Amino acid sequence: SQELEQSPQSLIVQEGKNLTINCTSSKTLYGLYWYKQKYGEGLIFLMMLQKGGEEKSHEKITAKLDEKKQQSSLHITASQPSHAGIYLCGAGRDDKIIFGKGTRLHILP
Amino acid sequence: GAGVSQSPSNKVTEKGKDVELRCDPISGHTALYWYRQSLGQGLEFLIYFQGNSAPDKSGLPSDRFSAERTGGSVSTLTIQRTQQEDSAVYLCASSLLRPFSGGELFFGEGSRLTVL
């Protein structure tokens, strides 16, 4: 089974609406990464969370880490077409990062 | 260049042929990673280099896959006797710090491999 589960797998929202993507780990989280991938392109680093309870924001994107629940959430406020893409969470494991399968986000104008 | 560079960007090959994919990491980045992204499968870890050595090859799917890194810089991923299931986007990433030290990975744009 997948070590990192993301939900939902796919999401369609109206422009201007808020949305949340979740990432749950079956193992203890020592570091949680969020990346964004535009269709057909490479991955862009969004943010990294290391401590339980940590919360980071960049523009309209906020990520939180709940270490006890082994979960992280990514929240987008007032979504825009530029937010469309695939969001991947990754967990630090030894010297590498393993990733979930991603959440495909579509924004309707 | 400023970012991670991968070549070729697209490769179409016939089943049974060998292919080589190249990755130029960001200058000074000692860690280099190869991942594979298949439709519906997410990002699959293949191999990790620290300098020229590969402490973790656990993700290589079969002995047809190999990788090397020379001079602590350029890396080549070689797939021998390609099969149709090898069709995927192969992504390379480099980092200055290891993930447990809070290092982020910088990704290239990938090499899309299609095996006919």
Side-chain angles (χ1 to χ4, degrees):
Chain A
S1 64
Q2 192 78 9
E3 188 175 326
L4 284 178
E5 294 284 348
Q6 287 188 236
S7 62
Q9 292 182 349
S10 181
L11 190 56
I12 302 173
V13 300
Q14 200 76 40
E15 182 179 352
K17 297 293 186 184
N18 302 338
L19 63 106
T20 300
I21 298 168
N22 294 299
C23 175
T24 303
S25 173
S26 59
K27 297 183 179 180
T28 303
L29 286 169
Y30 294 107
L32 194 289
Y33 296 75
W34 283 100
Y35 280 81
K36 178 187 173 185
Q37 184 178 30
K38 290 204 164 183
Y39 300 112
E41 297 181 12
L43 277 70
I44 299 167
F45 174 77
L46 294 176
M47 52 193 89
M48 184 212 172
L49 306 166
Q50 280 188 294
K51 299 176 184 177
E54 188 174 7
E55 180 176 322
K56 286 187 179 177
S57 293
H58 176 67
E59 296 179 344
K60 294 186 178 181
I61 301 176
T62 300
K64 301 179 186 179
L65 179 62
D66 186 334
E67 218 169 46
K68 287 183 182 177
K69 292 184 180 178
Q70 297 178 178
Q71 279 184 344
S72 177
S73 61
L74 186 85
H75 185 77
I76 299 177
T77 304
S79 58
Q80 299 169 351
S82 60
H83 288 129
I86 302 171
Y87 289 80
L88 294 114
C89 68
R93 290 285 179 262
D94 301 319
D95 283 341
K96 62 182 180 279
I97 299 176
I98 58 146
F99 289 90
K101 289 190 176 184
T103 295
R104 290 181 175 270
L105 174 62
H106 302 275
I107 307 292
L108 297 177
Chain B
V4 177
S5 178
Q6 291 188 245
S7 62
S9 54
N10 268 291
K11 176 73 177 179
V12 180
T13 191
E14 292 179 348
K15 178 181 171 182
K17 301 283 188 185
D18 297 351
V19 296
E20 282 189 353
L21 307 176
R22 176 189 167 105
C23 174
D24 268 292
I26 293 173
S27 178
H29 281 193
T30 54
L32 186 147
Y33 305 77
W34 283 99
Y35 288 86
R36 179 168 72 173
Q37 189 173 32
S38 307
L39 197 61
Q41 294 302 312
L43 215 57
E44 177 188 4
F45 168 80
L46 297 178
I47 187 169
Y48 151 68
F49 286 93
Q50 183 62 34
N52 291 334
S53 63
D56 191 340
K57 304 179 183 180
S58 62
L60 293 178
S62 75
D63 58 8
R64 295 186 296 104
F65 287 73
S66 63
E68 65 174 13
R69 189 179 185 193
T70 54
S73 182
V74 172
S75 176
T76 303
L77 177 69
T78 301
I79 309 172
Q80 295 179 308
R81 305 180 303 281
T82 52
Q83 303 294 312
Q84 288 181 332
E85 61 262 27
D86 299 334
S87 296
V89 177
Y90 289 82
L91 288 161
C92 176
S94 69
S95 69
L96 185 60
L97 298 174
R98 297 177 182 182
F100 66 74
S101 298
E104 67 178 269
L105 270 57
F106 294 82
F107 282 84
E109 302 222 337
S111 291
R112 181 178 295 277
L113 174 65
T114 303
V115 182
L116 301 177

